[in-house]
Amino acid sequence: MSVQSTVKRRTAPEIRARKNGEPIVMLTSYHAHTAALVDRYCDIILVGDSLGNVMHGFETTVPVTLEMMILQGHAVMRGSQHALVVVDMPFGSYEASKEQAFHSAARILKETHCGAVKLEGGERMAQTVAFLSERGIPVMGHIGLTPQSINTLGSFRAQGREEGSWQPIENDARAIAQAGAFAVVVEAVAEPLARKITETIEIPTIGIGASVACDGQVLVLEDMLGLSPRTPKFVRRYGNLGPMIEAAIAGYASDVRTRKFPGPEHVYGMKAKS
Ligand code: KIV
């Protein structure tokens, strides 16, 4: 017996076909409830390893584990119906060999039911991207600033701000596209470089701090909602939920302390005897 879902999700090939088309909208989510909201408006939901910073308070994404990504990836799949869900491969789960990458990516797909994985790195990861793509695993690349390399980079600095430093990043973009990735995140690179890469490669570029020249945009949901203590310069805040949440918590705490909550309308009465 075949089981067919009535709701059709976006697929990696559909996103690949959006090159030079309508801009691709992507946001992060790590939970079922935010995934349900993001799902109404976005083509792609990214279960980013930024969950290490946002949910767990780590300084970097380096401590994030495969188990964390699988747990939150599954939650996002349960909360969403339409968007393509892409789950980040965390640091240490794919760099050692293409076989290691396949085992980790296969676990992510099998255990979350998501539609694709994302991994960081350009030329050095091209063979791995090809290995996964040829074996049924859609891969999104991530070049420019690659936060998992913070310990070798030294800081989260924008990349390619002098024309002399463009070549390696252009090579990374080309290598990832030729290896079979269906799209590539381009993080924190200067606008003229983002434009040149977007014009040169055949797969959609999804910018974060990389200008409107890209084929789509991604932001961390909590950053654009005003829920993160520190946000990079390129984030536009579309909401300021931090103070609203704090006011709600303060109101509740005050009502409990002054016995105003629960009020009579929140209390069960006794059932009349029949
Ligand atoms: O982990 C993440 O949220 C990301 C985006 C910032 C692109 O990789």
Side-chain angles (χ1 to χ4, degrees):
M1 190 181 81
S2 82
V3 180
Q4 299 233 314
S5 163
T6 47
V7 182
K8 197 178 157 337
R9 273 188 192 270
R10 293 204 196 295
T11 64
E14 278 168 20
I15 298 297
R16 164 75 183 78
R18 292 269 291 273
K19 179 73 187 176
N20 299 323
E22 191 194 357
I24 297 161
V25 187
M26 171 161 148
L27 274 176
T28 62
S29 165
Y30 322 119
H31 328 93
H33 61 91
T34 53
L37 297 170
V38 171
D39 191 49
R40 295 194 205 142
Y41 301 95
C42 291
D43 301 299
I44 306 176
I45 303 178
L46 173 66
V47 186
D49 62 353
S50 52
L51 65 78
N53 311 99
V54 177
M55 289 179 65
H56 296 273
F58 294 133
E59 283 295 315
T60 73
T61 53
V62 172
V64 174
T65 64
L66 195 56
E67 282 66 32
M68 286 174 173
M69 297 309 304
I70 289 172
L71 195 63
Q72 303 318 134
H74 203 184
V76 167
M77 282 299 291
R78 284 194 297 270
S80 61
Q81 299 186 67
H82 303 289
L84 171 67
V85 173
V86 179
V87 176
D88 254 343
M89 300 192 69
F91 178 72
S93 72
Y94 63 96
E95 303 90 331
S97 67
K98 37 196 203 320
E99 288 79 12
Q100 183 209 22
F102 182 82
H103 287 303
S104 301
R107 268 197 70 193
I108 293 176
L109 257 62
K110 279 169 180 278
E111 294 178 39
T112 69
H113 306 164
C114 74
V117 297
K118 175 166 84 57
L119 56 79
E120 294 185 9
E123 275 191 294
R124 70 185 166 86
M125 293 312 302
Q127 277 197 347
T128 298
V129 172
F131 192 81
L132 299 187
S133 310
E134 286 158 7
R135 285 162 180 76
I137 299 180
V139 182
M140 176 178 278
H142 184 152
I143 60 164
L145 176 63
T146 48
Q148 291 176 8
S149 304
I150 181 62
N151 289 308
T152 44
L153 290 174
S155 72
F156 295 111
R157 248 198 338 265
Q159 308 288 298
R161 296 191 74 181
E162 301 93 34
E163 202 166 342
S165 65
W166 285 11
Q167 199 57 59
I169 306 173
E170 288 183 66
N171 293 348
D172 282 344
R174 211 171 301 115
I176 288 297
Q178 284 169 0
F182 70 93
V184 60
V185 167
V186 181
E187 178 161 355
V189 309
E191 193 264 354
L193 175 57
R195 186 174 297 283
K196 189 169 180 207
I197 290 172
T198 301
E199 284 169 0
T200 314
I201 65 173
E202 288 180 354
I203 59 172
T205 56
I206 303 189
I208 174 159
S211 85
V212 291
C214 297
D215 297 298
Q217 299 294 327
V218 57
L219 282 178
V220 171
L221 181 67
E222 283 75 0
D223 287 353
M224 58 89 94
L225 292 180
L227 279 172
S228 304
R230 280 169 287 145
T231 52
K233 176 178 166 213
F234 55 74
V235 173
R236 181 182 293 169
R237 280 196 176 177
Y238 286 84
N240 198 10
L241 298 198
M244 284 174 69
I245 292 176
E246 191 175 342
I249 295 167
Y252 166 74
S254 159
D255 281 359
V256 171
R257 290 203 176 98
T258 56
R259 297 193 190 279
K260 288 191 188 132
F261 177 80
E265 70 276 31
H266 308 118
V267 176
Y268 292 109
M270 296 291 287
K271 269 193 177 160
K273 268 197 185 149
S274 54

